[in-house]
Amino acid sequence: MTYFEYNCDGLIGPSHNYCGLSFGNVASAANKNAVSNPREAAKQGLAKMHFLTGLGLKQIVLPPHERPSIGALRQVGFSGTDEQILTNAAKTAPELLANVSSASAMWTANAATISPSADSKDGKIHLTPANLNDKYHRSIEIEETSDILKATFKDSNIFTHHQALPQVSQFGDEGAANHTRLCRSYGEQGIQLFVYGRHGFDLSKPAPQKFPARHTLQASESVARLHQLSNDHVVYTQQAPDCIDAGVFHNDVIGVGNQNVYFYHQDGYLNKQAMLDSLSAYFGDSPFYPIEVPANEVSMQDAVTTYLFNTQLVDIGAGKMAIVAPIECKENANTQRYLDKLIGLDNPVQEIIYRDLRQSMRNGGGPACLRLRVVMSEAEAKGVNQGSIMTDELFGRLNTWVDSNYRDQVAPADLADVAFLNENRRALDELTQILQIGSIYPFQKG
Ligand code: SUG
């Protein structure tokens, strides 16, 4: 049986905007109130997906959420027609409207944590949507994310969908952005690395001082239990608090892994040696390549501005891997020098591919933020909604759909426009037909 890694990318939504909502995310704060270009954003994301399929990789498309979320406004007491609610919120609670309008669900690395069947005691693929409870604008993603995941990973004989963890800070869960599965080959039982920012209950334990640590040890442990992982195939490690204070709000901004490679920054972890020892123990006599980037070659600051570690490390066949990096890594002398050197070293990484994802990067989301990984066999992949799987034809249809439905400029003030809300709903309704995914949006359910 052949197993593949599927990348499930979030299609960037028609109301993609910059409202500066993420405290601790340097790029989001720096671009507050900038004018966005949703059309360009969606096309940059689609081009990345299509490019990866061209490399022989498997790709799934996850649709955007409906934004602004009228349901979220109703939950906090706005009433009347959808149009009245939008107008009233814009007038009386503009900061709330900004929060319920974020296109943040596009970063599907935060949508859920997924464990493949080879790692779970019951041989099923387990999915737990992240509660994202550190930020209000992200916490409202859970319900729609769960619906989208259930509509995409349809077959309940293959996929087990769990509920999100309790919606309190002790169980702060940011999903796969803090989770990496390493393995000898995709179909074998792997080792799952869970990286957390703080202890959920014991406040005397190390934690950052300036920016929030969004993800707790208790969240990671809960997901491992739900997914029926065996204790000797799980590693928990804490991100260095200073690194979070420097703007590394998720582990995928400071480390990325694939199969037998873990690529990470020297100063990323509180107890790095214990983490590496546990990973090495799993690999035993078979090769394991920890690639540590020294701080004197690439500073933490360089890592945060270029997203060197928010790269996709992908298998390109014949034992080789490529790094898919944001173009910003090419524009920074330190990261470019490092990447040029890396492909000459003794490890499977043989190629660096730079992609322009600036529309997403301005909100703090690089190539790896845009994707959620799931390992499936060919047989398991039959349980996925087939209309969501990227093909040349789907790429063409989605590009045409974006061209005819997306604006090329959105300023925060546009989010209050009733015509914009209706325009986006029409577009999303059409999208569900293209993906043949059924009625996933609240406005479609009536
Ligand atoms: O949660 N930005 C996201 C970026 C998430 C990146 N994901 C990963 N690292 N996996 C966040 O901080 C900004 C939205 C705004 O400001 O409008 C935002 O939510």
Side-chain angles (χ1 to χ4, degrees):
M1 183 89 72
T2 317
Y3 285 77
F4 298 94
E5 177 182 272
Y6 283 72
N7 281 289
C8 311
D9 277 49
L11 179 54
I12 300 171
S15 52
H16 161 65
N17 67 86
Y18 302 118
C19 281
L21 303 173
S22 267
F23 179 60
N25 169 341
V26 179
S28 155
N31 290 299
K32 183 171 178 151
N33 294 336
V35 173
S36 64
N37 182 338
R39 188 186 303 160
E40 187 178 57
K43 293 184 87 149
Q44 287 174 347
L46 278 169
K48 172 173 87 88
M49 297 184 222
H50 189 237
F51 180 82
L52 290 185
T53 58
L55 290 180
L57 296 155
K58 308 278 186 190
Q59 185 73 54
I60 288 172
V61 184
L62 297 177
H65 290 197
E66 181 198 349
R67 292 290 181 269
S69 169
I70 300 298
L73 292 173
R74 282 191 196 278
Q75 192 191 2
V76 294
F78 287 91
S79 58
T81 63
D82 290 359
E83 289 74 9
Q84 285 164 339
I85 287 176
L86 187 62
T87 308
N88 194 5
K91 220 182 290 164
T92 62
E95 66 298 330
L96 193 54
L97 179 59
N99 272 269
V100 303
S101 301
S102 177
S104 53
M106 66 203 245
W107 298 296
T108 54
N110 303 117
T113 306
I114 305 185
S115 297
S117 54
D119 293 5
S120 301
K121 287 204 181 85
D122 65 357
K124 290 181 76 178
I125 297 173
H126 289 256
L127 303 92
T128 299
N131 61 24
L132 297 170
N133 67 24
D134 186 66
K135 306 268 180 273
Y136 169 65
H137 75 282
R138 301 226 56 183
S139 69
I140 61 171
E141 292 171 28
I142 306 176
E143 209 175 309
E144 228 163 296
T145 292
S146 303
D147 289 350
I148 288 171
L149 291 175
K150 284 178 189 154
T152 306
F153 299 100
K154 286 204 301 207
D155 188 338
S156 58
N157 294 312
I158 298 171
F159 304 103
T160 298
H161 293 268
H162 299 279
Q163 279 180 10
L165 298 178
Q167 194 51 301
V168 288
S169 71
Q170 287 89 339
F171 288 98
D173 178 13
E174 299 276 319
N178 294 322
H179 170 257
T180 308
R181 175 179 187 259
L182 298 174
C183 56
R184 282 177 286 263
S185 68
Y186 289 130
E188 268 182 76
Q189 183 173 22
I191 183 144
Q192 298 198 16
L193 173 64
F194 287 88
V195 183
Y196 60 94
R198 66 184 165 88
H199 194 281
F201 292 94
D202 186 346
L203 301 182
S204 70
K205 295 263 167 68
Q209 302 298 305
K210 185 175 162 199
F211 291 144
R214 303 189 193 184
H215 195 113
T216 67
L217 169 62
Q218 284 64 33
S220 298
E221 289 173 338
S222 307
V223 170
R225 276 189 294 267
L226 287 166
H227 292 196
Q228 304 185 20
L229 306 180
S230 70
N231 289 338
D232 52 352
H233 284 75
V234 167
V235 177
Y236 302 103
T237 199
Q238 185 169 358
Q239 236 185 303
D242 288 353
C243 157
I244 296 179
D245 279 340
V248 181
F249 54 96
H250 289 137
N251 179 59
D252 68 5
V253 180
I254 209 66
V256 59
N258 178 45
Q259 291 178 335
N260 59 358
V261 175
Y262 195 59
F263 177 54
Y264 63 96
H265 191 272
Q266 178 184 1
D267 296 332
Y269 303 96
L270 197 59
N271 194 350
K272 181 177 64 189
Q273 202 48 52
M275 168 182 88
L276 293 174
D277 289 347
S278 307
L279 296 176
S280 301
Y282 161 84
F283 284 97
D285 293 336
S286 54
F288 169 48
Y289 299 92
I291 306 176
E292 177 168 311
V293 180
N296 63 6
E297 291 185 48
V298 175
S299 66
M300 191 66 77
Q301 172 84 21
D302 287 328
V304 171
T305 49
T306 63
Y307 268 36
L308 173 65
F309 300 96
N310 200 264
T311 43
Q312 285 178 257
L313 190 53
V314 293
D315 190 357
I316 49 172
K320 295 183 189 165
M321 293 188 201
I323 283 186
V324 182
I327 192 82
E328 283 79 354
C329 290
K330 200 177 181 180
E331 295 165 349
N332 173 300
N334 295 338
T335 49
Q336 196 195 3
R337 194 178 315 111
Y338 181 84
L339 287 170
D340 283 349
K341 186 177 89 173
L342 176 65
I343 49 177
L345 301 178
D346 172 31
N347 66 64
V349 182
Q350 306 276 310
E351 207 181 321
I352 312 294
I353 296 156
Y354 295 100
R355 301 296 306 175
D356 179 357
L357 292 162
R358 287 190 210 276
Q359 285 288 326
S360 170
M361 285 287 284
R362 285 187 195 128
N363 248 340
C369 299
L370 286 163
R371 64 95 172 90
L372 176 65
R373 292 183 281 186
V374 50
V375 165
M376 292 185 284
S377 67
E378 278 167 327
E380 288 168 337
K382 295 209 167 77
V384 171
N385 173 49
Q386 297 299 297
S388 303
I389 295 179
M390 181 55 92
T391 58
D392 288 344
E393 196 207 328
L394 182 60
F395 174 67
R397 287 191 76 187
L398 290 175
N399 258 295
T400 308
W401 171 78
V402 168
D403 280 331
S404 47
N405 287 292
Y406 280 49
R407 296 186 181 186
D408 61 4
Q409 282 198 350
V410 169
D414 296 324
L415 303 169
D417 181 1
V418 171
F420 190 42
L421 173 76
N422 290 327
E423 183 181 311
N424 293 340
R425 285 181 168 179
R426 274 193 301 276
L428 295 179
D429 191 47
E430 205 183 302
L431 177 65
T432 54
Q433 292 162 42
I434 296 174
L435 299 177
Q436 299 161 46
I437 197 170
S439 297
I440 48 171
Y441 292 112
F443 72 85
Q444 291 175 314
K445 292 175 185 164

